[in-house]
Amino acid sequence: MKKLNLFLSAAFIMCASVMFSQFSQTLPVGLDDCCSVPQVDECIGCTVSQQPFVARGATVNESWLIQNNLSHNAVVVQFGMGNYSEITQNDFDNDADVDQNGNYNHSVILQSGNRNDQDLDQDGESNYSYQEVFTDSYDNEGEVDQDGNWNTAFQFQRYDFNDADIDQEGNGNYAEQNQTGIYWSGGNDAHIDQDGNKNVAQQMQTIDFGSSGDNDADAHQDGYNNTSKETQYAENGGDNDSDVDQDNPFEDRVGNLACVDQTADGGDNDSDIDQDGYRNEAVVSQTATGHHADNDSDIDQDGNFNGAWVTQTATNGENDSDIDQHGNNNFAMVSQSLSGSGSDNNSDIHQDNNNNQAWVIQTGSNGVDNDSDIHQDGFGIAIVVQDGDGVENDSDIDQNGVNNIACVNQYGTDGSNNSDIMQTGYGGLDNFVSVDQNSGGGNNDSDITQDGNNNYACVKQTASSGADNYVNGTQTGDNNSYTVTQTGNSTLSF
């Protein structure tokens, strides 16, 4: 009788049941502190607290919880090495909370039904977490907090009002969140925060199957050699919003990489990337289809040897790109393509200090306006290519310093070309300008100002019958030269 009482007392401590429920539990005989708890019916709760038992020199903690039907609540607390916890909850009002403290922890949470809530906290090394809502459900919320190195966290959510959060501290960690909203989804919201080096954050969000909700993802990484990838797809007027913040304080270490891929059908794409440090790279790809569907990209990089690439494609919408780089040896490239009427390509690049490069390629049709603005302090290279049918091309380049190169190529049919280049400051020495304009029916207008010595400017303009070419050139200093070639009506001013 005493043995039976001890057995029942231990069972009560480790796995608590709620009244009016079918309850079965199995505690294996031996020193392994294991617990298996299947439960059915309503208002079922289970709390498992396990302390490490040492069996033949090993520490083994295990827990299995299965809950079906309504109003579930499961809490598992484990201490020691080699812990394992698995929770399966079916139907409505699921709530799971797992707290593992030790090494080699492993946790799996599977939920179906509505109003799912997951919370996992792991402290130790080589932790692994997998959380999934595996049926069409709404009001899903998942949270993972891991502290240590080489941790892995997965969260998968489906249907409506998805909210996922992963927080990792340490090196070599991997975090992945996948959210799919369907059938009038209220949207997806995902967040990853990683503090350490060589971490990877990946977030994928999808709104489809007739839904019109929004995707919202943000990632923050502090350290070097980190990678963040955001992939978003939205249908039926849904918007995509991505925010990535990376900080690399080490000048002699590999920088961070941020990749954003956004596709919206009838909605807008918005990407914001902020990178601080050295050797960082930002890559943005945006596609927007439908009337008034816009792309907006903002990249801010502070440091040396950074690179930014932006590709935007829109139909009957607008492309806007803003790149701001502070430091030396930075590179920026923007490619914008737009079809439809009454829409614009807008690119703004600002680069401080020396050895910077800026490239802009813009194409459009049916009354689209191409607008490019490049400002460089120090000696740099600026190249602009604008092309379209029935478009107005407008390029503005401002360079301060010596050994600057500015090249502008503008082409179009039934449109006009406008180029304004200014090279001044710091003595304005050995600067080069090349402008090639072919309007095919509209006017060509080139304005060049160079201040200093040994500067060179070359302008070539071609205008069809009834169109005009305008050149306004200003050079101050010694040993400067200016070459102009015009086809069509010509107006020169020097």
Side-chain angles (χ1 to χ4, degrees), residues 416-432:
S416 60
N417 299 314
N418 303 293
S419 173
D420 190 342
I421 299 175
M422 179 176 291
Q423 295 175 326
T424 60
Y426 306 108
L429 182 67
D430 295 327
N431 293 314
F432 174 85

Side-chain angles (χ1 to χ4, degrees), residues 344-408:
D344 301 328
N345 289 316
N346 302 305
S347 173
D348 192 339
I349 299 176
H350 185 101
Q351 296 173 319
D352 291 337
N353 297 327
N354 301 317
N355 290 330
N356 295 313
Q357 294 189 41
W359 294 60
V360 176
I361 301 174
Q362 296 174 320
T363 62
S365 61
N366 300 325
V368 171
D369 294 336
N370 294 318
D371 191 351
S372 172
D373 193 340
I374 298 176
H375 178 86
Q376 294 175 320
D377 287 327
F379 44 93
I381 298 175
I383 298 177
V384 177
V385 178
Q386 296 173 320
D387 189 9
D389 180 11
V391 305
E392 180 175 341
N393 296 316
D394 192 350
S395 173
D396 191 341
I397 298 176
D398 187 359
Q399 295 174 316
N400 294 325
V402 299
N403 299 318
N404 290 310
I405 297 175
C407 297
V408 177

Side-chain angles (χ1 to χ4, degrees), residues 192-196 199-201 219-223 226-228 244-248 256-257:
I192 294 178
D193 192 338
Q194 294 175 320
D195 187 359
N199 294 316
V200 176
H220 175 79
Q221 294 176 317
D222 189 359
N226 293 314
T227 300
S228 173
V244 178
D245 186 2
Q246 295 175 318
D247 185 7
N248 174 26
N256 297 315
L257 171 63

Side-chain angles (χ1 to χ4, degrees), residues 178-249:
N178 191 321
Q179 296 173 317
T180 301
I182 60 176
Y183 308 128
W184 307 283
S185 171
N188 298 313
D189 192 351
H191 172 75
I192 294 178
D193 192 338
Q194 294 175 320
D195 187 359
N197 307 314
K198 300 180 180 180
N199 294 316
V200 176
Q202 181 164 300
Q203 301 187 103
M204 292 166 284
Q205 296 176 315
T206 302
I207 299 290
D208 57 10
F209 295 106
S211 178
S212 59
D214 301 331
N215 293 316
D216 191 349
D218 65 274
H220 175 79
Q221 294 176 317
D222 189 359
Y224 67 87
N225 200 14
N226 293 314
T227 300
S228 173
K229 183 176 182 181
E230 316 291 316
T231 303
Q232 297 174 316
Y233 176 82
E235 284 187 350
N236 299 315
D239 299 332
N240 295 315
D241 192 348
S242 172
D243 191 340
V244 178
D245 186 2
Q246 295 175 318
D247 185 7
N248 174 26

